[in-house]
Amino acid sequence: MRGRRSIVTLLAALGLAAAGVAGAQAVDGGAPAGSAASAAAPAAAAAPAPSVAAGRRAYTSYCVRCHGINLVVGSSAFYDLRSFPATDKARFLHSVNKGVRAMPAWEGIVKPDELESIWLYIGSVNGWPPDA
Ligand code: HEC
């Protein structure tokens, strides 16, 4: 009798323990999901990594109508981007952001990460080495 009762007690205790573990898991399972969602939010809001593909898209949206998809158009009034120096990224960023004579300023329209991507795209069309 004594032995049976202790088994029942033991089973009951195990049941409670299991319920406790399950409850703890539910709580634990909920917390990381919530924190993962809030941790993912800033990551999603952060700028995507610059890429040639993104640069091609941005270039096609903003630049192609004056500079042509192959970086050159028939008119010499539009700077031939094939001749832009690979080593002068600072000038590129400044010229595009602030504008140069007939070229409008793009600051506030083309996002910084898009401009980085456009730089990569121009480099890829021109065959610049990756670390030029
Ligand atoms: C409305 C037409 C137009 C658009 C759109 C345009 N450009 Fe230009 N861009 C020009 C003209 C015109 C020049 C030549 C300016 C000059 O030197 O007189 C120029 C010059 C440049 C230069 C050379 C600047 C320098 O330092 O000599 C770069 C680089 C350039 N554009 C990049 C871009 C990029 C990148 C975009 C897209 C975000 C773009 N352009 C969109 C018209 C345009």
Side-chain angles (χ1 to χ4, degrees), residues 69-112:
I69 193 66
N70 294 316
L71 312 186
V72 61
V73 290
S75 165
S76 60
F78 299 98
Y79 187 95
D80 181 347
L81 292 172
R82 295 175 308 177
S83 59
F84 197 88
T87 49
D88 208 347
K89 185 178 173 184
R91 171 179 148 197
F92 173 83
L93 297 176
H94 185 268
S95 294
V96 179
N97 278 324
K98 304 297 177 193
V100 183
R101 290 179 284 265
M103 177 162 78
W106 290 99
E107 202 165 32
I109 300 167
V110 177
K111 295 188 215 103

Side-chain angles (χ1 to χ4, degrees), residues 14-91:
L14 280 174
L16 281 175
V21 168
Q25 274 174 345
V27 170
D28 284 337
S35 51
S38 51
S51 70
V52 171
R56 189 178 213 280
R57 282 194 300 274
Y59 182 90
T60 304
S61 302
Y62 305 119
C63 322
V64 112
R65 65 191 163 97
C66 290
H67 290 287
I69 193 66
N70 294 316
L71 312 186
V72 61
V73 290
S75 165
S76 60
F78 299 98
Y79 187 95
D80 181 347
L81 292 172
R82 295 175 308 177
S83 59
F84 197 88
T87 49
D88 208 347
K89 185 178 173 184
R91 171 179 148 197

